[in-house]
Amino acid sequence: MKTPTEVTLWGVVYSVENTDSLDLSGNQLTGLIPPEIGNLTHLTYLSFGSNQLTGIPPAIGNLTHLTYLNLVWNQLTGPIPSAIGNLTNLTYLGLNDNQLTGEIPSEIGNLN
């Protein structure tokens, strides 16, 4: 399978090679975070705060260069995916003010 060079999120096309920062906070985005987000492997900064997003895809674990992940003030439900433990470069993880349920995955212990 060919690695994509572009990712379309909510109707906007992003270059896989050139996108290292993505801030879509406060844009009234709804639904699940698309699993295609996992193809933007050069991201270091990702902010989806203050939307109405409802789910975190396991593909978020592909973003191993992330240092900043902001998902605060959404409507996220269900458990935190264990794939978050792959994001070992994170210095900020914001998940507050959501409706997450379940146990905090033990893999979160992989984060510094």
Side-chain angles (χ1 to χ4, degrees):
M1 184 168 170
K2 187 178 169 194
T3 302
T5 59
E6 297 178 335
V7 172
T8 303
L9 302 171
W10 294 283
V12 178
V13 178
Y14 299 93
S15 162
V16 169
E17 278 297 311
N18 298 323
T19 305
D20 62 2
S21 180
L22 188 57
D23 188 345
L24 296 177
S25 299
N27 279 289
Q28 301 177 340
L29 302 175
T30 60
L32 300 173
I33 297 170
E36 292 83 7
I37 193 73
N39 292 325
L40 292 175
T41 54
H42 292 268
L43 283 177
T44 60
Y45 181 99
L46 179 59
S47 183
F48 285 150
S50 299
N51 285 292
Q52 291 99 44
L53 297 170
T54 57
I56 307 169
I60 202 108
N62 296 345
L63 306 179
T64 57
H65 295 278
L66 275 184
T67 60
Y68 184 95
L69 177 57
N70 177 24
L71 300 174
V72 303
W73 291 100
N74 276 286
Q75 297 169 3
L76 299 173
T77 59
I80 299 168
S82 60
I84 289 257
N86 296 343
L87 309 180
T88 55
N89 290 305
L90 278 184
T91 56
Y92 176 83
L93 174 61
L95 295 171
N96 55 293
D97 295 294
N98 284 289
Q99 290 88 48
L100 295 166
T101 58
E103 306 255 333
I104 295 174
S106 61
E107 291 84 355
I108 215 157
N110 298 339
L111 307 181
N112 294 323

